[in-house]
Coordinates of all heavy atoms in Angstrom, one line a residue:
E265 N 26.4 11.0 -11.1 CA 27.7 10.6 -10.7 C 27.7 10.3 -9.2 O 27.3 11.2 -8.4 CB 28.7 11.6 -11.1 CG 30.1 11.3 -10.7 CD 31.1 12.4 -11.1 OE1 30.8 13.0 -12.2 OE2 32.0 12.6 -10.4
L266 N 28.1 9.1 -8.8 CA 28.2 8.8 -7.4 C 29.5 9.4 -6.8 O 30.5 9.3 -7.4 CB 28.2 7.3 -7.2 CG 26.8 6.6 -7.5 CD1 27.0 5.1 -7.4 CD2 25.8 7.1 -6.6
R267 N 29.4 9.8 -5.6 CA 30.5 10.3 -4.8 C 30.6 9.6 -3.5 O 30.0 10.0 -2.5 CB 30.5 11.8 -4.6 CG 30.5 12.5 -5.9 CD 30.5 14.0 -5.8 NE 30.6 14.6 -7.1 CZ 30.5 15.8 -7.3 NH1 30.2 16.7 -6.4 NH2 30.5 16.3 -8.6
I268 N 31.2 8.4 -3.5 CA 31.2 7.5 -2.4 C 32.3 7.9 -1.4 O 33.4 8.1 -1.8 CB 31.4 6.0 -2.9 CG1 30.4 5.7 -4.0 CG2 31.4 5.1 -1.7 CD1 29.0 5.6 -3.5
S269 N 31.9 7.9 -0.1 CA 32.9 8.1 0.9 C 32.5 7.2 2.1 O 31.4 6.7 2.2 CB 32.9 9.6 1.4 OG 33.3 10.4 0.4
E270 N 33.4 7.1 3.1 CA 33.2 6.3 4.2 C 32.6 7.1 5.4 O 33.1 8.2 5.7 CB 34.5 5.6 4.7 CG 34.3 4.6 5.8 CD 35.7 3.9 6.1 OE1 36.7 4.4 5.8 OE2 35.6 2.8 6.7
Y271 N 31.6 6.6 6.1 CA 31.0 7.2 7.2 C 30.7 6.2 8.3 O 30.5 5.1 8.1 CB 29.6 7.8 6.8 CG 29.7 8.9 5.7 CD1 29.7 8.5 4.4 CD2 30.0 10.2 6.0 CE1 29.8 9.4 3.3 CE2 30.1 11.1 5.0 CZ 30.0 10.7 3.7 OH 30.2 11.7 2.7
E272 N 30.7 6.7 9.5 CA 30.3 5.9 10.7 C 28.8 6.0 10.7 O 28.2 7.1 10.9 CB 31.0 6.4 12.0 CG 30.9 5.4 13.1 CD 29.5 5.2 13.7 OE1 28.9 6.2 14.1 OE2 29.0 4.0 13.7
L273 N 28.1 4.9 10.6 CA 26.6 5.0 10.4 C 25.8 5.5 11.6 O 24.9 6.3 11.3 CB 26.1 3.5 10.1 CG 24.7 3.4 9.5 CD1 24.5 4.3 8.3 CD2 24.4 2.0 9.2
N274 N 26.1 5.2 12.8 CA 25.4 5.8 13.9 C 25.5 7.3 14.0 O 24.6 8.0 14.3 CB 25.8 5.1 15.2 CG 25.0 3.9 15.5 OD1 23.8 3.8 15.2 ND2 25.6 2.9 16.2
T275 N 26.8 7.7 13.8 CA 27.0 9.2 13.9 C 26.2 9.9 12.8 O 25.5 10.9 13.0 CB 28.5 9.5 13.7 OG1 29.2 8.9 14.7 CG2 28.8 11.0 13.7
Y276 N 26.2 9.3 11.6 CA 25.5 9.9 10.4 C 24.0 9.9 10.7 O 23.3 10.9 10.5 CB 25.8 9.1 9.2 CG 25.0 9.5 8.0 CD1 25.2 10.7 7.3 CD2 23.9 8.7 7.6 CE1 24.3 11.0 6.2 CE2 23.1 9.0 6.6 CZ 23.3 10.2 5.9 OH 22.5 10.6 4.9
M277 N 23.5 8.8 11.2 CA 22.0 8.7 11.4 C 21.6 9.6 12.5 O 20.5 10.2 12.5 CB 21.6 7.2 11.7 CG 21.7 6.3 10.5 SD 20.6 6.9 9.1 CE 19.0 6.7 9.9
N278 N 22.4 9.7 13.6 CA 22.0 10.7 14.6 C 21.9 12.1 14.1 O 21.0 12.8 14.5 CB 23.0 10.6 15.8 CG 22.7 9.5 16.8 OD1 21.5 9.4 17.2 ND2 23.6 8.6 17.1
E279 N 22.9 12.5 13.2 CA 22.8 13.8 12.7 C 21.5 14.0 11.8 O 20.9 15.0 12.0 CB 24.0 14.0 11.8 CG 25.3 14.2 12.6 CD 26.6 14.3 11.7 OE1 26.4 14.3 10.5 OE2 27.7 14.3 12.3
I280 N 21.2 13.0 11.0 CA 20.0 13.1 10.2 C 18.8 13.2 11.1 O 17.9 14.1 10.9 CB 19.8 11.9 9.2 CG1 20.9 11.9 8.2 CG2 18.5 11.8 8.6 CD1 20.8 13.0 7.1
C281 N 18.7 12.3 12.1 CA 17.5 12.3 12.9 C 17.4 13.5 13.8 O 16.3 14.1 14.0 CB 17.5 11.0 13.8 SG 17.2 9.5 12.8
N282 N 18.5 14.0 14.3 CA 18.5 15.3 15.1 C 18.0 16.5 14.3 O 17.4 17.4 14.9 CB 19.9 15.6 15.7 CG 20.2 14.6 16.8 OD1 19.4 14.0 17.4 ND2 21.5 14.5 17.1
S283 N 18.2 16.5 13.0 CA 17.7 17.6 12.2 C 16.1 17.6 12.1 O 15.6 18.6 11.7 CB 18.3 17.5 10.8 OG 17.7 16.5 10.0
F284 N 15.5 16.5 12.6 CA 14.0 16.5 12.5 C 13.4 16.5 13.9 O 12.2 16.5 14.1 CB 13.5 15.1 11.9 CG 13.7 15.1 10.4 CD1 14.9 14.6 9.8 CD2 12.7 15.7 9.6 CE1 15.0 14.6 8.5 CE2 12.9 15.7 8.2 CZ 14.1 15.1 7.6
R285 N 14.2 16.6 15.0 CA 13.7 16.6 16.4 C 12.7 17.7 16.7 O 11.7 17.6 17.3 CB 14.8 16.6 17.4 CG 15.7 15.4 17.2 CD 15.6 14.5 18.4 NE 16.5 13.4 18.2 CZ 16.1 12.1 17.9 NH1 14.9 11.9 17.9 NH2 17.0 11.2 17.7
S286 N 13.1 18.9 16.2 CA 12.2 20.1 16.6 C 10.9 20.0 15.9 O 9.8 20.3 16.4 CB 12.9 21.4 16.2 OG 13.2 21.5 14.8
Y287 N 10.9 19.5 14.6 CA 9.6 19.3 13.9 C 8.8 18.2 14.6 O 7.5 18.4 14.8 CB 9.9 18.9 12.5 CG 8.6 18.6 11.6 CD1 7.7 19.6 11.5 CD2 8.4 17.4 11.0 CE1 6.5 19.4 10.7 CE2 7.3 17.2 10.3 CZ 6.3 18.2 10.1 OH 5.2 18.0 9.4
A288 N 9.4 17.1 15.0 CA 8.7 16.1 15.8 C 8.1 16.6 17.1 O 7.0 16.3 17.5 CB 9.6 14.9 16.0
N289 N 8.9 17.4 17.8 CA 8.4 18.0 19.0 C 7.2 19.0 18.8 O 6.3 18.9 19.6 CB 9.5 18.8 19.7 CG 10.6 17.9 20.3 OD1 10.3 16.7 20.6 ND2 11.8 18.4 20.5
I290 N 7.3 19.7 17.8 CA 6.1 20.6 17.4 C 4.9 19.8 17.2 O 3.8 20.2 17.7 CB 6.5 21.5 16.2 CG1 7.5 22.5 16.6 CG2 5.2 22.2 15.6 CD1 8.1 23.3 15.4
K291 N 5.0 18.7 16.6 CA 3.8 17.8 16.3 C 3.5 16.9 17.4 O 2.6 16.0 17.3 CB 4.0 17.0 15.0 CG 3.9 17.9 13.8 CD 3.8 17.1 12.5 CE 2.5 16.3 12.5 NZ 2.3 15.5 11.3
H292 N 4.3 16.9 18.5 CA 4.1 16.0 19.7 C 4.2 14.6 19.3 O 3.4 13.7 19.7 CB 2.8 16.3 20.4 CG 2.7 17.7 20.8 ND1 3.3 18.3 21.9 CD2 1.9 18.8 20.3 CE1 3.0 19.6 22.0 NE2 2.2 19.9 21.0
I293 N 5.2 14.3 18.4 CA 5.5 12.9 18.0 C 6.7 12.4 18.7 O 7.7 13.0 18.8 CB 5.7 12.9 16.4 CG1 4.4 13.3 15.7 CG2 6.2 11.5 16.0 CD1 4.6 13.4 14.2
D294 N 6.5 11.2 19.2 CA 7.6 10.5 19.9 C 8.5 9.9 18.8 O 8.2 8.9 18.1 CB 7.1 9.3 20.7 CG 8.2 8.6 21.5 OD1 9.3 9.0 21.5 OD2 7.9 7.5 22.0
F295 N 9.7 10.6 18.5 CA 10.6 10.3 17.4 C 11.8 9.7 18.0 O 12.6 10.3 18.7 CB 10.8 11.5 16.6 CG 11.8 11.3 15.4 CD1 11.6 10.3 14.5 CD2 12.9 12.2 15.3 CE1 12.4 10.2 13.4 CE2 13.7 12.0 14.2 CZ 13.5 11.0 13.3
T296 N 12.2 8.4 17.6 CA 13.4 7.8 18.1 C 14.2 7.2 17.0 O 13.7 6.8 16.0 CB 13.0 6.6 19.1 OG1 12.2 5.7 18.4 CG2 12.2 7.1 20.3
Y297 N 15.5 7.1 17.3 CA 16.5 6.4 16.5 C 17.2 5.4 17.3 O 17.7 5.8 18.4 CB 17.5 7.4 15.8 CG 18.7 6.6 15.3 CD1 18.5 5.8 14.2 CD2 19.9 6.7 15.9 CE1 19.6 5.1 13.7 CE2 21.0 6.0 15.4 CZ 20.8 5.2 14.3 OH 21.9 4.4 13.9
K298 N 17.3 4.2 16.9 CA 18.0 3.1 17.6 C 18.7 2.2 16.6 O 18.3 2.1 15.5 CB 17.1 2.3 18.5 CG 16.5 3.1 19.6 CD 15.6 2.2 20.5 CE 14.9 3.0 21.5 NZ 14.0 2.2 22.3
S299 N 19.8 1.6 17.1 CA 20.4 0.6 16.2 C 20.9 -0.5 17.1 O 20.9 -0.4 18.4 CB 21.6 1.2 15.5 OG 22.7 1.5 16.4
D300 N 21.1 -1.7 16.6 CA 21.6 -2.8 17.4 C 23.1 -3.0 17.3 O 23.6 -4.1 17.6 CB 20.8 -4.1 17.0 CG 21.2 -4.6 15.6 OD1 21.9 -3.9 14.8 OD2 20.7 -5.7 15.2
F301 N 23.8 -2.0 17.0 CA 25.3 -2.0 16.9 C 25.8 -0.6 17.5 O 25.0 0.4 17.4 CB 25.8 -2.3 15.5 CG 25.3 -1.3 14.5 CD1 25.9 -0.1 14.2 CD2 24.1 -1.7 13.8 CE1 25.4 0.7 13.2 CE2 23.6 -0.8 12.8 CZ 24.3 0.4 12.5
N302 N 27.0 -0.6 17.9 CA 27.6 0.6 18.5 C 28.3 1.4 17.4 O 28.3 2.6 17.4 CB 28.6 0.3 19.6 CG 27.8 -0.2 20.8 OD1 26.7 0.2 21.1 ND2 28.4 -1.1 21.5
Y303 N 29.0 0.7 16.5 CA 29.9 1.4 15.5 C 29.9 0.6 14.3 O 30.1 -0.6 14.3 CB 31.3 1.5 16.2 CG 32.3 2.3 15.4 CD1 32.4 3.6 15.5 CD2 33.1 1.6 14.5 CE1 33.3 4.4 14.8 CE2 34.0 2.4 13.7 CZ 34.1 3.7 13.9 OH 35.0 4.5 13.2
L304 N 29.8 1.2 13.1 CA 29.8 0.6 11.9 C 30.2 1.6 10.8 O 29.5 2.5 10.5 CB 28.5 -0.1 11.5 CG 28.4 -0.8 10.2 CD1 29.3 -2.0 10.2 CD2 26.9 -1.2 9.9
N305 N 31.4 1.3 10.2 CA 31.8 2.1 9.0 C 31.1 1.6 7.8 O 31.2 0.4 7.5 CB 33.3 2.1 8.9 CG 34.0 3.1 9.8 OD1 33.3 3.9 10.4 ND2 35.3 3.0 9.9
V306 N 30.5 2.5 7.0 CA 29.9 2.1 5.7 C 30.3 3.1 4.6 O 30.7 4.2 4.9 CB 28.4 2.1 5.9 CG1 27.9 1.0 6.8 CG2 27.8 3.4 6.3
W307 N 30.1 2.7 3.4 CA 30.4 3.5 2.2 C 29.1 3.9 1.5 O 28.3 3.0 1.2 CB 31.4 2.8 1.3 CG 32.7 2.6 1.9 CD1 33.1 1.6 2.8 CD2 33.9 3.4 1.6 NE1 34.4 1.8 3.1 CE2 34.9 2.8 2.4 CE3 34.1 4.5 0.9 CZ2 36.2 3.4 2.4 CZ3 35.4 5.0 0.8 CH2 36.4 4.5 1.6
F308 N 28.9 5.2 1.2 CA 27.7 5.6 0.4 C 27.9 7.0 -0.1 O 28.9 7.7 0.4 CB 26.4 5.4 1.2 CG 26.4 6.2 2.5 CD1 26.1 7.5 2.6 CD2 26.6 5.5 3.7 CE1 26.0 8.2 3.8 CE2 26.6 6.2 5.0 CZ 26.3 7.6 5.0
D309 N 27.1 7.4 -1.0 CA 27.0 8.8 -1.5 C 26.2 9.6 -0.5 O 25.0 9.4 -0.4 CB 26.4 8.8 -2.9 CG 26.4 10.2 -3.5 OD1 26.0 11.1 -2.8 OD2 26.8 10.3 -4.7
K310 N 26.8 10.5 0.2 CA 26.1 11.2 1.3 C 25.0 12.1 0.7 O 23.9 12.1 1.3 CB 27.1 12.1 2.1 CG 26.4 12.8 3.2 CD 27.5 13.7 4.0 CE 26.9 14.4 5.2 NZ 25.7 15.2 4.9
D311 N 25.2 12.8 -0.4 CA 24.1 13.6 -0.9 C 22.9 12.8 -1.3 O 21.7 13.1 -1.0 CB 24.6 14.3 -2.2 CG 25.6 15.4 -1.8 OD1 25.6 15.9 -0.7 OD2 26.4 15.8 -2.7
K312 N 23.1 11.6 -1.9 CA 22.0 10.8 -2.3 C 21.3 10.1 -1.1 O 20.1 10.1 -1.0 CB 22.4 9.7 -3.3 CG 22.9 10.3 -4.6 CD 23.0 9.4 -5.7 CE 23.4 10.0 -7.0 NZ 23.8 11.3 -7.2
M313 N 22.1 9.7 -0.1 CA 21.6 9.1 1.1 C 20.8 10.2 1.9 O 19.7 9.9 2.4 CB 22.7 8.5 2.0 CG 22.1 7.7 3.1 SD 21.2 6.2 2.7 CE 22.5 5.1 2.4
D314 N 21.3 11.4 2.0 CA 20.6 12.5 2.7 C 19.2 12.7 2.0 O 18.2 12.8 2.8 CB 21.4 13.8 2.5 CG 22.6 13.9 3.5 OD1 22.8 13.0 4.3 OD2 23.3 14.9 3.3
S315 N 19.2 12.7 0.7 CA 17.9 13.0 0.0 C 16.9 11.9 0.3 O 15.8 12.1 0.6 CB 18.2 13.1 -1.5 OG 17.0 13.2 -2.2
I316 N 17.4 10.6 0.3 CA 16.5 9.5 0.5 C 16.0 9.5 1.9 O 14.7 9.4 2.2 CB 17.2 8.2 0.2 CG1 17.5 8.1 -1.3 CG2 16.4 7.0 0.7 CD1 18.5 7.0 -1.7
L317 N 16.9 9.6 2.9 CA 16.5 9.5 4.3 C 15.6 10.7 4.7 O 14.6 10.5 5.5 CB 17.7 9.3 5.2 CG 18.4 8.0 5.1 CD1 19.7 8.0 5.9 CD2 17.5 6.9 5.7
K318 N 16.0 11.9 4.3 CA 15.2 13.0 4.7 C 13.8 13.0 4.1 O 12.9 13.4 4.8 CB 16.0 14.3 4.3 CG 17.2 14.6 5.1 CD 17.9 15.8 4.7 CE 19.1 16.1 5.6 NZ 19.9 17.3 5.2
N319 N 13.7 12.4 2.9 CA 12.4 12.3 2.3 C 11.5 11.3 3.1 O 10.4 11.5 3.4 CB 12.5 11.9 0.8 CG 11.2 11.8 0.2 OD1 10.4 12.7 0.2 ND2 10.9 10.7 -0.5
L320 N 12.1 10.1 3.4 CA 11.4 9.1 4.2 C 11.0 9.6 5.6 O 9.8 9.4 6.0 CB 12.2 7.8 4.3 CG 12.4 7.0 3.0 CD1 13.5 5.9 3.3 CD2 11.1 6.4 2.6
I321 N 11.9 10.2 6.3 CA 11.6 10.6 7.6 C 10.6 11.8 7.6 O 9.7 11.9 8.4 CB 12.9 11.0 8.4 CG1 13.8 9.8 8.6 CG2 12.6 11.7 9.7 CD1 15.2 10.1 9.1
S322 N 10.8 12.7 6.7 CA 9.9 13.8 6.6 C 8.5 13.4 6.3 O 7.5 13.8 6.9 CB 10.4 14.8 5.4 OG 9.5 15.8 5.2
N323 N 8.3 12.4 5.4 CA 7.0 11.9 5.1 C 6.4 11.1 6.3 O 5.2 11.3 6.6 CB 7.0 11.0 3.9 CG 7.1 11.8 2.6 OD1 6.7 12.9 2.5 ND2 7.6 11.1 1.5
A324 N 7.2 10.4 7.0 CA 6.7 9.7 8.2 C 6.2 10.6 9.2 O 5.1 10.5 9.8 CB 7.9 8.8 8.8
L325 N 7.0 11.7 9.5 CA 6.5 12.7 10.4 C 5.3 13.5 9.9 O 4.4 13.8 10.7 CB 7.7 13.7 10.8 CG 8.8 13.0 11.5 CD1 10.0 14.0 11.6 CD2 8.4 12.6 12.9
K326 N 5.3 13.8 8.7 CA 4.2 14.6 8.1 C 2.9 13.9 8.2 O 1.9 14.5 8.5 CB 4.5 14.9 6.6 CG 3.5 15.7 5.9 CD 4.0 16.0 4.5 CE 3.0 16.7 3.6 NZ 3.5 16.9 2.3
Y327 N 2.9 12.6 7.9 CA 1.6 11.8 7.9 C 1.3 11.1 9.2 O 0.3 10.3 9.3 CB 1.7 10.8 6.7 CG 1.7 11.6 5.4 CD1 2.8 11.6 4.6 CD2 0.6 12.3 5.0 CE1 2.8 12.4 3.4 CE2 0.6 13.0 3.8 CZ 1.7 13.0 3.0 OH 1.7 13.7 1.9
T328 N 2.1 11.2 10.2 CA 1.8 10.7 11.5 C 1.0 11.7 12.3 O 1.4 12.9 12.4 CB 3.1 10.3 12.3 OG1 3.8 9.4 11.6 CG2 2.8 9.8 13.7
P329 N -0.1 11.2 12.9 CA -1.0 12.2 13.6 C -0.3 12.7 14.9 O 0.7 12.0 15.4 CB -2.2 11.4 13.9 CG -1.8 10.0 13.8 CD -0.7 9.9 12.8
E330 N -0.7 13.8 15.4 CA -0.2 14.3 16.6 C -0.3 13.3 17.7 O -1.2 12.5 17.8 CB -1.0 15.6 17.0 CG -0.4 16.4 18.2 CD -1.0 17.7 18.4 OE1 -1.1 18.5 17.4 OE2 -1.4 18.0 19.5
N331 N 0.8 13.3 18.6 CA 0.9 12.3 19.7 C 1.2 10.9 19.2 O 1.1 9.9 19.9 CB -0.3 12.3 20.6 CG -0.5 13.6 21.3 OD1 0.5 14.2 21.8 ND2 -1.7 14.1 21.2
G332 N 1.6 10.8 17.9 CA 2.0 9.5 17.3 C 3.4 9.1 17.6 O 4.1 9.8 18.3
I333 N 3.9 8.0 17.0 CA 5.2 7.5 17.2 C 5.9 7.3 15.8 O 5.2 6.7 14.9 CB 5.2 6.2 18.0 CG1 4.6 6.4 19.4 CG2 6.6 5.6 18.0 CD1 4.4 5.2 20.1
V334 N 7.1 7.7 15.6 CA 7.9 7.4 14.5 C 9.3 6.9 15.0 O 9.9 7.5 15.8 CB 8.1 8.6 13.5 CG1 9.1 8.3 12.4 CG2 6.8 9.1 12.9
S335 N 9.6 5.7 14.6 CA 10.9 5.0 15.0 C 11.7 4.7 13.8 O 11.2 4.1 12.8 CB 10.6 3.8 15.8 OG 9.8 4.0 16.9
V336 N 13.0 5.0 13.9 CA 14.0 4.6 12.9 C 14.9 3.6 13.6 O 15.5 3.9 14.6 CB 14.8 5.8 12.4 CG1 15.9 5.4 11.4 CG2 13.9 6.9 11.8
F337 N 15.0 2.4 13.0 CA 15.8 1.4 13.6 C 16.7 0.8 12.5 O 16.3 0.4 11.4 CB 14.9 0.2 14.2 CG 15.7 -0.8 14.9 CD1 16.3 -0.6 16.1 CD2 15.8 -2.1 14.3 CE1 17.0 -1.6 16.7 CE2 16.6 -3.1 14.9 CZ 17.1 -2.8 16.1
L338 N 18.0 0.7 12.9 CA 19.0 0.0 12.0 C 19.5 -1.3 12.6 O 19.7 -1.3 13.8 CB 20.2 0.9 11.8 CG 20.2 1.8 10.6 CD1 19.0 2.7 10.6 CD2 21.5 2.6 10.5
R339 N 19.5 -2.3 11.8 CA 19.9 -3.6 12.2 C 21.1 -4.1 11.4 O 21.1 -4.0 10.2 CB 18.8 -4.6 12.0 CG 19.0 -6.0 12.4 CD 17.8 -6.8 12.1 NE 16.6 -6.0 12.2 CZ 15.5 -6.4 12.9 NH1 15.5 -7.6 13.4 NH2 14.5 -5.7 12.9
L340 N 22.1 -4.6 12.2 CA 23.3 -5.2 11.5 C 22.9 -6.6 11.1 O 22.5 -7.4 11.9 CB 24.5 -5.2 12.5 CG 25.8 -5.7 11.9 CD1 26.2 -4.8 10.7 CD2 26.8 -5.7 13.0
K341 N 23.1 -6.9 9.8 CA 22.8 -8.2 9.3 C 24.2 -9.0 9.1 O 25.2 -8.4 9.4 CB 22.1 -8.1 7.9 CG 20.7 -7.4 8.1 CD 20.1 -7.3 6.7 CE 19.5 -8.6 6.4 NZ 18.8 -8.6 5.1
T342 N 24.1 -10.2 8.7 CA 25.3 -11.0 8.5 C 26.2 -10.4 7.4 O 25.8 -9.6 6.5 CB 24.9 -12.4 8.1 OG1 24.2 -12.4 6.9 CG2 24.2 -13.1 9.2
H343 N 27.5 -10.6 7.5 CA 28.5 -10.2 6.6 C 28.6 -8.7 6.5 O 28.9 -8.1 5.4 CB 28.3 -10.8 5.2 CG 28.1 -12.3 5.2 ND1 29.1 -13.1 5.6 CD2 27.0 -13.0 4.9 CE1 28.6 -14.4 5.5 NE2 27.4 -14.3 5.1
G344 N 28.3 -8.0 7.6 CA 28.5 -6.5 7.6 C 27.5 -5.7 6.9 O 27.6 -4.5 6.8
S345 N 26.4 -6.3 6.3 CA 25.4 -5.5 5.7 C 24.5 -4.9 6.7 O 24.4 -5.4 7.9 CB 24.7 -6.3 4.6 OG 23.9 -7.3 5.2
W346 N 23.7 -3.9 6.4 CA 22.7 -3.4 7.4 C 21.4 -3.1 6.7 O 21.3 -3.0 5.5 CB 23.3 -2.1 8.0 CG 23.8 -1.0 7.0 CD1 24.9 -1.0 6.3 CD2 23.0 0.1 6.6 NE1 24.9 0.1 5.5 CE2 23.8 0.8 5.6 CE3 21.8 0.6 7.0 CZ2 23.4 2.0 5.1 CZ3 21.4 1.8 6.4 CH2 22.2 2.5 5.4
K347 N 20.4 -2.9 7.5 CA 19.0 -2.7 7.1 C 18.4 -1.7 7.9 O 18.6 -1.7 9.2 CB 18.3 -4.1 7.2 CG 16.8 -4.0 6.8 CD 16.2 -5.3 6.9 CE 14.7 -5.3 6.5 NZ 14.1 -6.6 6.7
S348 N 17.6 -0.8 7.3 CA 16.9 0.2 8.1 C 15.4 0.0 8.0 O 14.9 -0.5 7.0 CB 17.3 1.6 7.7 OG 16.8 1.8 6.3
K349 N 14.7 0.5 9.0 CA 13.3 0.4 9.1 C 12.7 1.6 9.7 O 13.2 2.0 10.7 CB 12.9 -0.9 9.9 CG 11.4 -1.1 9.9 CD 11.0 -2.3 10.7 CE 11.3 -3.5 9.9 NZ 10.8 -4.8 10.5
I350 N 11.8 2.2 9.1 CA 11.1 3.4 9.6 C 9.6 3.0 9.8 O 9.0 2.6 8.9 CB 11.2 4.6 8.7 CG1 12.7 5.0 8.5 CG2 10.4 5.8 9.3 CD1 12.9 6.1 7.5
R351 N 9.2 3.1 11.1 CA 7.8 2.7 11.4 C 7.1 4.0 11.9 O 7.5 4.8 12.6 CB 7.8 1.7 12.6 CG 8.2 0.4 12.2 CD 7.9 -0.5 13.3 NE 8.1 -1.9 12.8 CZ 8.2 -2.9 13.6 NH1 8.1 -2.8 14.9 NH2 8.5 -4.1 13.1
E352 N 5.8 4.0 11.5 CA 4.9 5.0 11.9 C 3.9 4.4 12.9 O 3.6 3.2 12.8 CB 4.1 5.6 10.8 CG 4.9 6.4 9.8 CD 4.1 6.9 8.7 OE1 3.1 7.6 8.9 OE2 4.5 6.6 7.5

């Protein structure tokens, strides 16, 4: 069952990424989050999105060698849609 609510995307993503900062620091990984917009309200199921993003970021950090780089970037597309990219 989906439980959809409205969230401000940069605030949400900063919270998710901040939860991984200490792990990235321990592994000496340069971990960044950036977006090409300042403010964007979006609708999603927070529990499901948490699970997906935490799994992706966790795996990116887990499999990135020490002194590596992991970047999370969100881009605003046309008509208010958005796209995320996680790079190792």
Side-chain angles (χ1 to χ4, degrees):
E265 179 179 326
L266 290 175
R267 296 184 179 169
I268 306 295
S269 295
E270 186 176 20
Y271 299 91
E272 196 289 306
L273 192 54
N274 271 326
T275 300
Y276 171 77
M277 289 301 298
N278 273 310
E279 290 173 4
I280 293 288
C281 290
N282 285 339
S283 71
F284 287 93
R285 297 247 181 254
S286 62
Y287 180 59
N289 289 337
I290 289 168
K291 287 195 67 182
H292 305 284
I293 293 174
D294 181 12
F295 179 53
T296 59
Y297 164 70
K298 294 182 183 176
S299 69
D300 68 353
F301 53 88
N302 291 324
Y303 186 87
L304 179 64
N305 280 348
V306 295
W307 292 81
F308 56 83
D309 183 313
K310 185 179 182 305
D311 290 338
K312 293 194 178 10
M313 188 66 80
D314 283 355
S315 179
I316 293 164
L317 288 172
K318 287 178 179 180
N319 185 49
L320 289 170
I321 294 169
S322 176
N323 283 337
L325 292 170
K326 180 178 178 181
Y327 294 107
T328 297
E330 192 168 306
N331 299 313
I333 298 171
V334 172
S335 300
V336 177
F337 183 73
L338 266 58
R339 177 182 329 226
L340 184 61
K341 298 178 76 176
T342 58
H343 308 298
S345 65
W346 54 281
K347 177 180 180 179
S348 66
K349 183 181 281 187
I350 299 176
R351 285 192 173 163
E352 295 179 53

